[in-house]
Amino acid sequence: MTGSGLAAMLLRRLLLGLLTLLLVSLVVFAATQLLPGDVATAILGRTATPARIAALRAALHLNHAPLAQYGLWILGLLHGDLGNSLVTGKPILSDIAGRLYNSSLLVIITAVISLPIAVIAGLAAAVRHDRATDIALSTVALALSALPEFVIGIALIIVSSLAAPHVLPMVSLVQPGHSPLQTPRVLVLPLLTLTLVVFPYVFRMMRGSMIDVLESDYIEMARLKGVSPHRLLIVHALPSALPPTIQAIALTLAYLAGGIVVVEYVFGYAGIGEGIVSAVGTRDLPEIQDFTLILAAVYVCLNIIADVCTVLLTPKLRTRRA
Amino acid sequence: MDDLRLPPIADLASSGATRRTLLKAGGGLAAAGLLGLGGASAQADTAVPKKGGTLRVAITGGTAGDTLDAHNTLTQPDSYRVMAMYDGLVSLSPDAQVINKLAESMECDAKAMSWTIRVRSDAKFHDGRPVTAKDVAFSFNRISDPKAPTVGAVALAPLDLGNIQYLDDRTLRIPTKVPYAVLRDVISCPFMAGIVPTDYDPKKPIGAGPFKFKSMTPAQQTEFTRFDEYYDGPAYLDGFILQEQFTDNLAAYNALQGGQVDAVANAPANLIRQIKNSTTLKALLSEPAEITPFTMRADKPPFNDPNVRMALRLMMDRERFVKITLSGYGTVANDIYGQYDPSFDSSLVRHQDLDQAKFLLKKAGVDRLELITTDMANGIIPMAEIFAQQAAKAGVKVQVTQANNDVYSENMYSKVPFSQDFFFYSPIMGQPPLSFLPGSFLNETHWADAEYLKVYDEAKGIVDFGKRTEMIHRLQQIEFERGTWVVPSYNSVVDILAKNVMGLPKSRTGYALGNFSLTKAWLA
């Protein structure tokens, strides 16, 4: 694929991505319409007398038809306006900015810690295929991949509270307006949870594809030619084994952007995930839409980046005529 | 099992359990029978209070819609914010009596046709302005605004707010449309009738309470600082923070263990056992205060038949109910409320009568009921299950359906025929404006008993305490005979505190942290 071919592919993927986002927003909107109650009844709760509900609905412009509300929201979005929260009346952007920062911190640090570990462990297991190291690592990975993230999170809470109480906070309180980095202790358990959740997928993909590559004919040939084991592994085998792993990493990161919802909830960490849960609770339509759209956008972007990397790393795809 | 035999109001985890506190606990147990005797005992904190520090209180139940509005509270954190920022003319003391707060005096005339209210001369708002008669009038009008009535509107409805007279800067006379002698009782609810200045803006909230607002991130945290010019003695604390980003009480408790907060307000009673041997935590146990009624819609079958309501009341083994659902931290109740009110009728006692219950249910042809509820307060779900167990013995199968909290409050609350609710302590005459009068915001049982309403109307106009008490007894008699609540117990409310949190009194109202007495709290 030539440079212009790559650009064409990028453009196509971006347009498809935008279409996906539009569809996602429609689906989310339809789903919110199915939720019982609306933001007015959610705000008023038990004091929701019919007169009060009517007054609040009028004040929040909920009297417009659902599609008109959706149209207004999309129109605002096209102007770069995320809208105001129906519940607090404040611009959603200010709420999202802080939460997005908190969540990205978790995702990025998790990626920086867990991906190299998983890739290296995968390599090690592949090289020592079927020996003690491999069996031990694979068993651990299999066990971890069978556990949902909330089980891992709660187990970590229990273990740390019994083994070393007061060392690690079991709830990740972040002062509003402050960075979690000011109290790094609160990040430890959520990071550990996410790392353990992410590890098995990348590890197993790396191990599997590396084993395949190491058993292929061209590696056998190189080995017979006397290429040093390190050079064989890093220069000859790794580039071929990486593309499937990159896809796995992209999927993992994309999963992190969504799976973080559960982990943030378990630890009470004020990120995007916790924000979505709270927005759904109050039926805050624009906020639900904005939050989910951001997660969807992250998902789409990561997939595009992964595809580009795969293309660049795969000679067949790279040199294919567009 | 030891727990069950302990006196229900004993403060088990109180560090310095001296002979005196134990004696007081014993006295309190007796007082539960002889109501009105024995004041709420303070914790035996003999040390001299220390000034300074910020108390971090964990509390659950906050939502993104949380508010600072003085008269429109909705969630638990809302109520406590309002209690910290705004004072009313009167309030409930920790031992559940109605006392003057901003009012220096508040009296009605001999026929209860007008109230003369004089505001304290030293009372100030957070911006330094004195509290005046005009502010009182403004606040009452705001509460009763016909366009946006608040929870307190029904309680103020008998007042003729259009014809207020101002006797001087801090004295006003409010005429009433009908004789109304119980105004002090009905506005003692601490989150209903706070006094705010005439230019009040809930976005920049100003009140005359002991703490000033600093910042709020809804459902995450709210910060307050001490109001140094508070007329009733400024707090020892520099301020306090409500931490609200906990998914449940257990997460809050975890944070307390980890030293991230200093107190968990309204914690589940079973935590008391867990911290029994803790060196860092203690429990603050209220006297039996909260009620958790089973609510039956009087306008829907089968509960429109008073016999069915009576049967469900008769089938209960209340002592067992208290032992199991409250771990003994409570006392038996008899389907009525207001146990610390001087007018309370303690002669109304319900005895279990399974045969009669079976008979009544059979007569009404009821053998199956659905109790739709949600986890709205500590212990609610186990209570529903024990109720179902006990009902089975009377031959009625009660199916407990637990709904999601949001779905419940939006679609089921006050709509389903059979449910549960919870209330903290209120004087007897203060509860009907919330629950049983036409227009009451929390009238979930849709009870409209003509005789009951007539007796309430009569009672509210009687100035003489003795005569009013007689009438209140009739009111309670009606509730006892055919009311729409099953009230099996008065529940103690539990807060878990770090050991260094001192000065909070034992209370009888059920509001967390000793009637939310944060002016008395200090950090050792």
Side-chain angles (χ1 to χ4, degrees):
Chain A
M1 193 185 288
T2 58
S4 65
L6 190 67
M9 184 206 86
L10 250 179
L11 189 67
R12 203 173 60 236
R13 294 302 306 267
L14 280 174
L15 287 176
L16 277 173
L18 280 179
L19 186 66
T20 312
L21 290 183
L22 188 70
L23 287 176
V24 165
S25 78
L26 267 171
V27 169
V28 171
F29 176 77
T32 51
Q33 293 304 307
L34 293 179
L35 287 174
D38 66 9
V39 66
T41 52
I43 290 176
L44 294 172
R46 295 186 167 201
T47 58
T49 56
R52 281 164 67 98
I53 291 181
L56 189 61
R57 281 207 178 122
L60 294 175
H61 308 296
L62 296 182
N63 299 332
H64 297 306
L67 270 179
Q69 291 178 44
Y70 177 77
L72 280 178
W73 173 75
I74 282 279
L75 222 65
L77 207 63
L78 292 178
H79 290 91
D81 175 13
L82 288 180
N84 289 349
S85 159
L86 291 181
V87 177
T88 62
K90 290 181 185 147
I92 295 175
L93 190 64
S94 63
D95 185 28
I96 279 191
R99 288 182 182 277
L100 197 59
Y101 172 79
N102 290 353
S103 289
S104 348
L105 257 188
L106 265 193
V107 172
I108 291 170
I109 301 179
T110 304
V112 168
I113 296 175
S114 66
L115 296 182
I117 295 179
V119 167
I120 291 170
L123 282 178
V127 172
R128 291 177 178 71
H129 185 31
D130 278 346
R131 295 195 339 233
T133 320
D134 177 33
I135 292 169
L137 281 171
S138 299
T139 313
V140 169
L142 191 66
L144 282 176
S145 66
L147 294 173
E149 53 270 55
F150 62 88
V151 173
I152 296 182
I154 291 169
L156 282 177
I157 288 179
I158 294 172
V159 169
S160 84
S161 68
L162 292 177
H166 313 312
V167 177
L168 292 175
M170 289 169 271
V171 185
S172 302
L173 297 185
V174 179
Q175 301 278 340
H178 290 73
S179 164
L181 292 176
Q182 286 170 294
T183 46
R185 281 195 325 153
V186 304
L187 287 170
V188 176
L189 286 182
L191 279 178
L192 200 54
T193 308
L194 286 173
T195 303
L196 290 177
V197 170
V198 164
F199 172 80
Y201 301 105
V202 178
F203 164 81
R204 294 177 71 194
M205 184 56 79
M206 187 70 229
R207 174 182 172 276
S209 55
M210 197 62 180
I211 287 174
D212 283 349
V213 171
L214 287 178
E215 283 169 356
S216 65
D217 295 342
Y218 85 93
I219 293 291
E220 191 62 38
M221 189 65 199
R223 202 176 278 141
L224 290 174
K225 278 170 72 182
V227 178
S228 79
H230 281 112
R231 198 178 149 75
L232 182 82
L233 198 66
I234 305 298
V235 179
H236 294 266
L238 191 58
S240 302
L242 265 184
T245 311
I246 283 175
Q247 290 293 340
I249 289 176
L251 277 180
T252 305
L253 287 177
Y255 152 79
L256 270 181
I260 204 171
V261 174
V262 177
V263 175
E264 284 178 359
Y265 186 75
V266 167
F267 290 97
Y269 183 82
I272 287 275
E274 212 230 83
I276 289 188
V277 174
S278 145
V280 170
T282 52
R283 310 283 183 276
D284 196 337
L285 201 56
E287 201 154 319
I288 301 175
Q289 298 263 36
D290 288 344
F291 277 134
T292 33
L293 209 61
I294 284 178
L295 287 188
V298 170
Y299 203 96
V300 168
C301 287
L302 281 171
N303 272 304
I304 294 179
I305 293 172
D307 285 351
V308 170
C309 290
T310 308
V311 166
L312 291 179
L313 276 172
T314 313
K316 261 191 208 158
L317 294 176
R318 190 171 59 226
T319 53
R320 189 180 63 183
R321 293 181 66 87
Chain B
M1 288 303 283
D2 274 348
D3 284 356
L4 301 188
R5 272 183 263 119
L6 284 167
I9 62 160
D11 187 3
L12 293 174
S14 157
S15 50
T18 61
R19 197 178 149 71
R20 207 179 96 236
T21 51
L22 286 177
L23 280 174
K24 276 200 170 174
L29 180 64
L34 308 165
L35 292 156
L37 296 181
S41 63
Q43 260 187 300
D45 290 335
T46 46
V48 181
K50 234 167 54 182
K51 234 182 148 166
T54 299
L55 183 74
R56 298 161 301 168
V57 180
I59 188 157
T60 55
T63 70
D66 274 10
T67 163
L68 296 157
D69 191 304
H71 308 128
N72 278 312
T73 62
L74 193 61
T75 63
Q76 279 215 69
D78 279 350
S79 321
Y80 292 122
R81 273 189 285 269
V82 162
M83 288 169 81
M85 287 190 291
Y86 310 99
D87 270 11
L89 293 169
V90 296
S91 181
L92 288 176
S93 64
D95 66 349
Q97 301 309 304
V98 180
I99 53 164
N100 281 349
K101 289 299 277 186
L102 286 171
E104 182 181 287
S105 64
M106 180 170 173
E107 282 151 4
C108 64
D109 63 41
K111 290 189 172 146
M113 285 306 289
S114 76
W115 279 85
T116 306
I117 299 165
R118 189 167 175 78
V119 179
R120 287 176 68 128
S121 59
D122 53 353
K124 283 181 185 168
F125 286 116
H126 296 155
D127 57 3
R129 286 179 292 171
V131 180
T132 66
K134 286 251 159 48
D135 299 315
V136 174
F138 171 80
S139 304
F140 278 18
N141 273 306
R142 183 171 192 271
I143 293 164
S144 331
D145 182 357
K147 273 184 235 137
T150 67
V151 181
V154 176
L156 297 188
L159 300 182
D160 183 5
L161 294 174
N163 290 308
I164 293 177
Q165 293 165 267
Y166 299 96
L167 306 185
D168 62 40
D169 271 0
R170 54 189 180 96
T171 314
L172 71 165
R173 182 169 296 150
I174 308 178
T176 62
K177 297 172 198 157
V178 290
Y180 201 37
V182 294
L183 182 61
R184 289 172 60 87
D185 279 9
V186 298
I187 63 169
S188 67
C189 173
F191 54 81
M192 208 168 81
I195 300 302
V196 295
T198 50
D199 55 357
Y200 178 67
D201 174 7
K203 293 215 169 67
K204 290 175 195 142
I206 283 179
F211 289 92
K212 292 190 286 188
F213 171 71
K214 187 176 167 197
S215 78
M216 164 152 125
T217 312
Q220 293 198 41
Q221 70 165 37
T222 324
E223 292 178 285
F224 299 90
T225 53
R226 175 181 58 229
F227 178 38
D228 285 316
E229 295 171 85
Y230 183 55
Y231 64 92
D232 209 10
Y236 300 109
L237 299 168
D238 291 336
F240 78 98
I241 298 179
L242 283 184
Q243 291 284 3
E244 298 150 63
Q245 61 268 68
F246 303 103
T247 47
D248 55 25
N249 273 311
L250 219 57
Y253 174 68
N254 284 340
L256 177 63
Q257 277 189 308
Q260 292 169 285
V261 294
D262 307 306
V264 176
N266 287 344
N270 56 19
L271 284 179
I272 293 183
R273 201 167 307 193
Q274 286 197 34
I275 63 157
K276 225 169 177 178
N277 300 317
S278 168
T279 52
T280 52
L281 304 180
K282 61 182 175 183
L284 177 65
L285 198 58
S286 84
E287 294 193 37
E290 179 197 44
I291 53 170
T292 38
F294 294 90
T295 57
M296 305 172 282
R297 272 189 76 163
D299 60 340
K300 280 271 153 86
F303 302 107
N304 53 356
D305 178 355
N307 281 338
V308 175
R309 308 204 294 265
M310 179 55 81
L312 292 183
R313 293 164 149 199
L314 285 173
M315 66 84 190
M316 289 210 73
D317 180 346
R318 291 160 199 255
E319 258 141 52
R320 208 177 138 69
F321 184 87
V322 168
K323 272 186 190 170
I324 298 177
T325 63
L326 302 173
S327 316
Y329 300 118
T331 50
V332 163
N334 300 292
D335 303 323
I336 47 177
Y337 51 83
Q339 67 275 30
Y340 301 121
D341 192 308
S343 298
F344 184 78
D345 184 355
S346 51
S347 72
L348 298 172
V349 177
R350 179 90 58 204
H351 297 287
Q352 187 188 22
D353 187 343
L354 272 179
D355 290 337
Q356 179 69 6
K358 275 185 203 160
F359 170 75
L360 291 175
L361 287 167
K362 196 151 199 186
K363 204 170 107 186
V366 173
D367 58 357
R368 194 170 277 277
L369 291 169
E370 188 183 17
L371 174 59
I372 299 180
T373 187
T374 185
D375 198 1
M376 62 183 92
N378 288 319
I380 281 284
I381 302 302
M383 286 177 191
E385 274 151 13
I386 297 301
F387 183 93
Q389 265 182 31
Q390 299 195 349
K393 288 188 187 139
V396 56
K397 184 175 164 34
V398 176
Q399 191 203 328
V400 178
T401 305
Q402 187 182 346
N404 163 289
N405 234 319
D406 298 325
V407 174
Y408 178 86
S409 55
E410 283 155 42
N411 295 20
M412 295 167 173
Y413 174 74
S414 95
K415 296 191 182 83
V416 296
F418 189 28
S419 188
Q420 288 173 283
D421 205 350
F422 74 103
F423 290 94
F424 291 146
Y425 176 81
S426 163
I428 297 168
M429 292 300 281
Q431 190 70 48
L434 293 173
S435 298
F436 300 125
L437 299 187
S440 299
F441 272 39
L442 309 175
N443 187 1
E444 64 217 313
T445 65
H446 305 259
W447 197 35
D449 186 293
E451 190 192 351
Y452 179 84
L453 296 176
K454 194 168 154 271
V455 174
Y456 183 86
D457 273 345
E458 217 167 306
K460 80 181 185 200
I462 304 177
V463 179
D464 180 79
F465 174 76
K467 284 188 186 141
R468 188 166 71 233
T469 296
E470 272 173 40
M471 202 51 92
I472 290 178
H473 283 189
R474 274 185 63 190
L475 203 63
Q476 295 201 290
Q477 183 72 42
I478 296 173
E479 287 188 20
F480 186 76
E481 278 167 10
R482 55 176 190 270
T484 51
W485 282 358
V486 183
V487 186
S489 60
Y490 300 123
N491 318 334
S492 291
V493 173
V494 181
D495 305 308
I496 308 287
L497 312 174
K499 276 264 162 80
N500 69 330
V501 178
M502 315 298 270
L504 291 170
K506 194 174 193 48
S507 98
R508 286 175 154 185
T509 60
Y511 294 99
L513 305 177
N515 201 35
F516 216 62
S517 304
L518 291 193
T519 49
K520 301 193 179 86
W522 57 281
L523 296 169

